[in-house]
Amino acid sequence: MAILTVVLLLVADQSSKIWIKTHLQLYESIEIFPWFKLYFTENPGMAFGIEIFDTYLLTIFRLVVVAFFGVFIFRLIGKNSFKSGYIVCWALILAGAMGNILDCAFYGVLFDSSYGQVSTFMPEGGGYSTYLSGKVVDMLSFPLIRTEWPSWIPVWGGQEFVFFRPIFNIADSSICVSVFLLLIFYRRSLSASFAKEKDREDNVG
């Protein structure tokens, strides 16, 4: 179940990103509904476009995180004491992290620049960057509310207000939704699994 979950999520995530890269220019958009559009953007950062580390260092960090989650999920499955929904949530987090890692690790050499043009897969002149230094493709935009801040509000008064402003991808949403589900529905399982990990470390020590 966990492996199937990871594979399906990766296929959906990478398919959507490759379609966007090969059909839209950077910052081009397609309106699906007034409250939902595909808006092509790229970022070297973490979920929802947050930029914290250098792209190369962030990719290394993601690889370490993926390795941790892979081992963690393997141990959960081996214990046979947790619900399948709990394990699927962790598998979705793993798949989401892997989806964005693939962008950072390979997109820089597999695609040329999307700025002012539609990107080409495996261009003759080479990609826009190097291995481990690619950018994450984002495209899901949900501007549910568009209005202006009241004029009496300091600093932001009269400026445009958009909710929800962040642009993200399937991998990002997989991670965030799974974390939400774990905190709401599987708090006891979380406590139990981490308690068992601590006991295991104590026994090893």
Side-chain angles (χ1 to χ4, degrees), residues 149-159:
W149 289 99
S151 58
W152 51 267
I153 295 181
V155 182
W156 298 288
Q159 295 185 17

Side-chain angles (χ1 to χ4, degrees), residues 62-157:
R62 282 180 171 138
L63 288 171
V64 173
V65 171
V66 164
F68 168 80
F69 280 123
V71 172
F72 181 73
I73 293 171
F74 179 78
R75 290 177 179 173
L76 287 180
I77 295 173
K79 291 172 183 175
N80 294 318
S81 57
F82 293 99
K83 295 180 179 179
S84 58
Y86 179 68
I87 295 175
V88 166
C89 284
W90 282 109
L92 287 172
I93 293 175
L94 174 63
M98 291 176 65
N100 285 334
I101 281 178
L102 291 175
D103 295 29
C104 294
F106 301 111
Y107 276 28
V109 295
L110 293 179
F111 299 95
D112 54 5
S113 175
S114 296
Y115 187 77
Q117 64 178 12
V118 175
S119 181
T120 302
F121 180 71
M122 295 294 289
E124 293 183 3
Y128 66 84
S129 187
T130 59
Y131 284 109
L132 301 182
S133 296
K135 294 183 179 181
V136 176
V137 175
D138 291 325
M139 80 294 289
L140 301 178
S141 175
F142 290 88
L144 301 178
I145 300 174
R146 282 185 175 274
T147 184
E148 291 185 354
W149 289 99
S151 58
W152 51 267
I153 295 181
V155 182
W156 298 288

Side-chain angles (χ1 to χ4, degrees), residues 190-203:
L190 279 172
S191 300
S193 58
F194 283 106
K196 290 180 180 179
E197 285 295 317
K198 185 177 184 304
D199 291 341
R200 182 180 180 279
E201 292 176 1
D202 291 342
N203 292 333

Side-chain angles (χ1 to χ4, degrees), residues 144-191:
L144 301 178
I145 300 174
R146 282 185 175 274
T147 184
E148 291 185 354
W149 289 99
S151 58
W152 51 267
I153 295 181
V155 182
W156 298 288
Q159 295 185 17
E160 182 185 33
F161 170 76
V162 179
F163 179 86
F164 179 73
R165 188 179 290 274
I167 301 170
F168 54 101
N169 56 47
I170 293 176
D172 294 334
S173 57
S174 174
I175 294 171
C176 293
V177 170
S178 298
V179 170
F180 175 80
L181 292 176
L182 286 172
L183 294 176
I184 299 299
F185 298 106
Y186 296 105
R187 283 178 292 182
R188 290 185 179 179
S189 296
L190 279 172
S191 300

